[in-house]
Amino acid sequence: MSLAQRDAAVLWHPYTQMQTAPLPIPVVRGEGAWLIAEDGTRYLDAVASWWVNLHGHAHPHITQRVSAQLATLEHVIFAGFTHPAAVELAEGLLQILPSTQNRIFYSDNGATSVEVAIKMALQYFHNHGQPQRRTIIAFRDSYHGDTFGAMSVSARSAFTAPFAPLLFNVEFIDVPVPGREAEVMAQMASLAQRDDIAAFIFEPLVLGTAGMVMYEPESLDALLSICRRHDIFIIADEVMTGFGRTGRLFASDYLREQPDIMCLSKGLTGGTMALGVTSCSAAIYEAFLSSDRTKTFFHGHSYTANPVACAAGLASLDLLLAPESFADRQRIAAAHAQFAQELHGLPGIREVRQRGTILAVEFAPDETTSYFSRLRDEFYALAIARGVLLRPLGNIVYVLPPYCISNAELRLVYDTMLAMRELVVRAATATAPASLPEFPHD
Ligand SMILES: *Cc1c(COP(=O)(O)O)cnc(C)c1O
C-alpha cells in the first residue's frame, strides 16, 4: 500500500470532506520554498503551508537551534519553573512588539492565543469589579480559530453552524473596506455607548479566511480611537499578519492607536512548531496581581512554553530581523505590485488587493463566490498540476509565500494565476459567447 492509501485507512484531515477528497499528496522533504513528494514531484509552497512558514522549509539555522535545544532540555513544567528559551524569546518579542506590550503569556497555537486574550480581557473587568463588561465586538467576517471562544468571536458561517446555539453572544460590525468607513464608524460609536462592552477583537488590515479582505490603517485607527475613549480593550489578532507579512513587522506598526492585547502564532516559530503567544499591557497584567488568589489567571496548557518550540521561535527571530529578510520582504512586495499592474483591467479579474507580501486576486464571475464552488476545486487542481500549491478561497486566489521565494519562483505562481484567469474567461465565453471582450493573450 502507498503512504496515501495507508493514510486513507487511518486518518481524518482538517477542513476536508473525506468522502470526496482526492488522496493526499505524501510529502517526504522540504527545501526552501519547495515541498518534495514521495514520487519526487516538487510543489512550490505559495501559501507558506497555511500561512506559517517564513524562511523556507527545513531551514538549517532553525534545525540547528532546535536540535541543540532538544538535546539539552525537551520540556519542563512552566508553573514554578522557567528556562532560558522562554525568557529569551519573551525578551526578544517585547523588543519588537508595539511599546504598549509588557508581558508574554505562552500557549499552543493561534486559537489558544485568542482564548487567552478573551479570558484576560473578561477577567480584567471581573477582577476590577465591573463584571457586566462581558460583551466582545468583532468583525462580521472575521476568523479567530476553531475552539469555542475563538469560534464565538468569528464569522457565523457554514463552518460554525452546527454549534451556533452554543456560541456566546458577540456584537458584530462590518469591515471598514473602502467606501464603507463612515457606516462602520457609526456602528462602533453606537455599541461603544453601552456599559457591557469589554473588548474589540480584529484581524488588523487583512482578514485572512474571509478572502484576504483588506482595509486601511486610517479606518482601523478611527475605530480604535472610539474604543480607547470608552475604555474598551483593543485586541489585535496578529496570528496571520505578524512577523513581517504585511510589510512591517506587525500590522499594528501601521497604526497610531496601539493594542492592549496581541495574539501571535503561525510565523512565530518560522512555521516549525506549534506555539502561541498572547502579549498584554502592564495595566492588564497588574489587574491580576493580588493577595486574593481568586484574581489569578487560571489558564495553562501541559506544553506551555515548550523549550523546543521557543528555540524555534528564537531561531526564526534571528532570521526575521536579519537585513536580508527585510530586503526579501520588500522584493516580494515590489514583485506583487508589478504583477497587480499586469492584471489591471484584464477580463476575468474583479479586483487585485495587496498588503506587503500578501497578494489576493479576486476572479469574476459571480456564481463562483462560495467556498464550496466548483471553480475553487478547478483552480486548486490547475495549480497542483503545474507544481504550485495555492489554496483558493472560493474565487479568491492569494499568494502568501515564504520570504525566501525567488523572483523566478514568484513568476511561476503569477503564471499559474494567469492560467486560472484563462479558465475563468473560457468558462464565461462558453456560456455567453457574444457579449465577452476579446481575450488578449489568445
Ligand atoms: C489561523 C488563524 C487563527 C487560528 O490559529 P490556529 O493556530 O490555526 O489555531 C487565529 N486567528 C487568525 C487571524 C488566523 O489567521
Side-chain angles (χ1 to χ4, degrees), residues 339 361 363 397-399 413-421:
F339 181 56
V361 178
F363 291 90
V397 183
Y398 63 89
V399 196
V413 180
Y414 299 152
D415 286 343
T416 303
M417 292 171 123
L418 286 172
M420 290 173 178
R421 190 189 75 86

Side-chain angles (χ1 to χ4, degrees), residues 377-437:
D377 294 341
E378 283 178 18
F379 280 166
Y380 182 80
L382 179 152
I384 287 293
R386 288 170 161 249
V388 179
L389 169 51
L390 286 167
R391 255 188 93 84
L393 297 156
N395 63 326
I396 297 154
V397 183
Y398 63 89
V399 196
L400 194 152
Y403 304 148
C404 65
I405 195 169
S406 70
N407 287 345
E409 289 161 348
L410 276 173
R411 192 63 243 177
L412 186 59
V413 180
Y414 299 152
D415 286 343
T416 303
M417 292 171 123
L418 286 172
M420 290 173 178
R421 190 189 75 86
E422 288 181 34
L423 198 75
V424 169
V425 172
R426 242 186 266 121
T429 315
T431 52
S435 62
L436 266 135

Side-chain angles (χ1 to χ4, degrees), residues 51 109-112 114 143-146 203 209 237 239-240 265-266:
W51 319 347
N109 53 60
T112 56
V114 167
Y143 178 77
H144 296 289
D146 288 342
E203 299 162 82
T209 305
D237 177 353
V239 168
M240 189 272 276
S265 187
K266 293 201 167 119

Side-chain angles (χ1 to χ4, degrees), residues 8 54 97 117 121 125 128 185 262 270 300 321 339 341 357 372 378 406 426 440:
L54 298 189
L97 283 168
F125 288 115
H128 255 225
M185 241 40 76
M262 291 175 75
L321 300 177
F339 181 56
Q341 282 300 312
T357 70
F372 304 100
E378 283 178 18
S406 70
R426 242 186 266 121

Side-chain angles (χ1 to χ4, degrees), residues 42-70:
R42 295 161 64 86
Y43 298 94
L44 182 56
D45 190 356
V47 299
S49 277
W50 249 348
W51 319 347
V52 300
N53 191 289
L54 298 189
H55 316 292
H57 291 279
H59 193 288
H61 180 65
I62 301 182
T63 307
Q64 188 274 322
R65 278 200 84 156
V66 164
S67 333
Q69 181 64 53
L70 203 46

Side-chain angles (χ1 to χ4, degrees), residues 41-357:
T41 312
R42 295 161 64 86
Y43 298 94
L44 182 56
D45 190 356
V47 299
S49 277
W50 249 348
W51 319 347
V52 300
N53 191 289
L54 298 189
H55 316 292
H57 291 279
H59 193 288
H61 180 65
I62 301 182
T63 307
Q64 188 274 322
R65 278 200 84 156
V66 164
S67 333
Q69 181 64 53
L70 203 46
T72 315
L73 174 70
E74 84 302 340
H75 189 61
V76 58
I77 180 174
F78 205 60
F81 288 81
T82 191
H83 59 83
V87 176
E88 281 168 36
L89 181 58
E91 288 170 347
L93 289 172
L94 289 175
Q95 258 169 38
I96 59 170
L97 283 168
S99 59
T100 48
Q101 301 307 292
N102 183 261
R103 290 278 160 174
I104 299 294
F105 191 97
Y106 289 110
S107 66
D108 293 347
N109 53 60
T112 56
S113 77
V114 167
E115 298 289 337
V116 168
I118 294 170
K119 287 174 74 173
M120 274 180 183
L122 296 181
Q123 194 180 336
Y124 171 96
F125 288 115
H126 179 90
N127 286 2
H128 255 225
Q130 294 174 276
Q132 83 283 0
R133 279 209 179 217
R134 53 168 185 261
T135 304
I136 313 268
I137 301 174
F139 284 134
R140 202 176 306 287
D141 302 319
S142 62
Y143 178 77
H144 296 289
D146 288 342
T147 52
F148 267 81
M151 266 198 296
S152 294
V153 295
S154 299
R156 297 293 181 270
S157 70
F159 300 162
T160 59
F163 320 106
L166 301 173
L167 302 180
F168 62 72
N169 187 43
V170 167
E171 291 296 341
F172 289 107
I173 62 172
D174 294 308
V175 182
V177 291
R180 298 205 57 196
E181 296 94 336
E183 199 184 328
V184 181
M185 241 40 76
Q187 295 172 3
M188 177 62 97
S190 152
L191 286 170
Q193 302 298 328
R194 291 172 26 177
D195 63 0
D196 64 324
I197 307 294
F200 170 42
I201 186 167
F202 54 91
E203 299 162 82
L205 309 189
V206 187
L207 280 78
T209 305
M212 299 296 159
V213 170
M214 301 188 189
Y215 61 106
E216 292 301 313
E218 296 71 32
S219 315
L220 182 53
D221 261 325
L223 291 176
L224 298 185
S225 49
I226 300 175
C227 294
R228 196 54 87 210
R229 277 202 300 280
H230 291 86
D231 298 322
I232 296 167
F233 283 131
I234 296 171
I235 306 176
D237 177 353
E238 295 233 25
V239 168
M240 189 272 276
T241 52
F243 304 103
R245 267 299 152 213
T246 65
R248 303 210 179 155
L249 280 180
F250 298 96
S252 295
D253 294 339
Y254 286 92
L255 304 173
R256 273 178 291 109
E257 213 54 84
Q258 292 298 310
D260 301 294
I261 301 179
M262 291 175 75
C263 304
L264 306 169
S265 187
K266 293 201 167 119
L268 173 58
T269 62
T272 306
M273 317 259 310
L275 182 67
V277 154
T278 309
S279 62
C280 72
S281 66
I284 291 178
Y285 174 70
E286 282 158 15
F288 293 76
L289 302 179
S290 173
S291 50
D292 174 358
R293 293 193 49 166
T294 65
K295 296 197 169 171
T296 306
F297 191 51
F298 290 114
H299 187 104
H301 300 277
S302 317
Y303 283 99
T304 297
N306 173 254
V308 185
C310 289
L314 281 166
S316 180
L317 271 194
D318 292 342
L319 298 170
L320 180 80
L321 300 177
E324 303 79 53
S325 187
F326 280 93
D328 278 338
R329 290 179 319 257
Q330 272 176 0
R331 176 180 55 80
I332 294 167
H336 282 351
Q338 205 179 342
F339 181 56
Q341 282 300 312
E342 203 179 315
L343 291 177
H344 186 77
L346 291 185
I349 307 287
R350 180 174 299 146
E351 191 177 79
V352 183
R353 302 185 280 272
Q354 189 206 344
R355 176 70 71 182
T357 70

